[in-house]
Amino acid sequence: MRKFWRQRDPREKTLIMIAAGMFVLLIGWLLVLNPILAYPKNQKLAYEQANKNLKIIKAGETALLGAVDLPVKTALSAQNFQSTITGLAGKHGLKISRRQPKGDGELTVWLEKAQTTSFYAWVDELTKAYNISANRVNINRNDDGSVRVNITYQLDK
């Protein structure tokens, strides 16, 4: 290495020193100064994410302990069960092609052409607002993008 350095003329030595200085500055910037300057921002982001995680954990803890007020479901009678299902289907723009009751507490419904968003909104409203659960669901896609559905609802007692 010394032999290499001695064989260089002063102009080459100067250029090599400038290149080495620039390399040291670049490494210093990338490995030392840049991380130090970014540290507060990174810590703030980590703190905010930790707070979000803490809120999620606290909400889960509250739910597990039973302190969350669950939405109250409307208790339907056997007489109102079928009319509520068909009425809400009409409200969501769904046309029921066939209904088949099985006793007082079960109803199978067929929809030939239903938009998926309307169908899922209908099922969501029925199962969240009333004491109704969906037992069996068969969904097939039609060529026009709609769905053909066979769904069985049961009245929860």
Side-chain angles (χ1 to χ4, degrees):
M1 184 73 170
R2 288 183 186 177
K3 182 179 178 184
F4 171 80
W5 188 252
R6 284 190 214 127
Q7 290 177 349
R8 301 292 141 225
D9 60 0
R11 182 172 175 248
E12 288 177 333
K13 288 180 182 179
T14 305
L15 289 175
I16 291 172
M17 293 299 281
I18 290 172
M22 290 175 64
F23 180 74
V24 167
L25 286 175
L26 178 68
I27 295 299
W29 171 258
L30 291 176
L31 297 179
V32 178
L33 196 56
N34 198 19
I36 289 173
L37 293 175
Y39 184 77
K41 181 180 177 184
N42 292 341
Q43 291 305 306
K44 182 180 178 187
L45 291 174
Y47 175 76
E48 290 171 354
Q49 184 62 43
N51 272 339
K52 288 179 186 176
N53 292 342
L54 180 63
K55 287 179 184 177
I56 291 169
I57 290 170
K58 284 185 177 180
E61 178 187 28
T62 307
L64 287 174
L65 294 175
V68 173
D69 293 332
L70 296 174
V72 178
K73 291 185 174 186
T74 304
L76 292 176
S77 64
Q79 294 81 16
N80 296 335
F81 173 61
Q82 292 182 24
S83 62
T84 301
I85 291 173
T86 55
L88 282 177
K91 176 184 162 192
H92 287 282
L94 301 170
K95 294 180 183 176
I96 296 175
S97 61
R98 182 176 160 205
R99 296 182 336 167
Q100 181 177 353
K102 184 178 179 186
D104 287 339
E106 194 170 305
L107 178 68
T108 303
V109 176
W110 283 264
L111 306 168
E112 292 301 320
K113 288 189 175 217
Q115 296 303 315
T116 54
T117 53
S118 299
F119 170 70
Y120 288 122
W122 175 56
V123 172
D124 186 52
E125 185 174 351
L126 280 171
T127 57
K128 283 186 178 176
Y130 300 99
N131 58 332
I132 297 174
S133 59
N135 281 351
R136 290 180 297 274
V137 180
N138 184 10
I139 301 175
N140 296 306
R141 186 175 183 273
N142 294 326
D143 291 335
D144 62 355
S146 63
V147 291
R148 188 173 52 257
V149 180
N150 174 358
I151 184 165
T152 301
Y153 287 109
Q154 183 175 0
L155 184 63
D156 299 331
K157 303 212 179 187

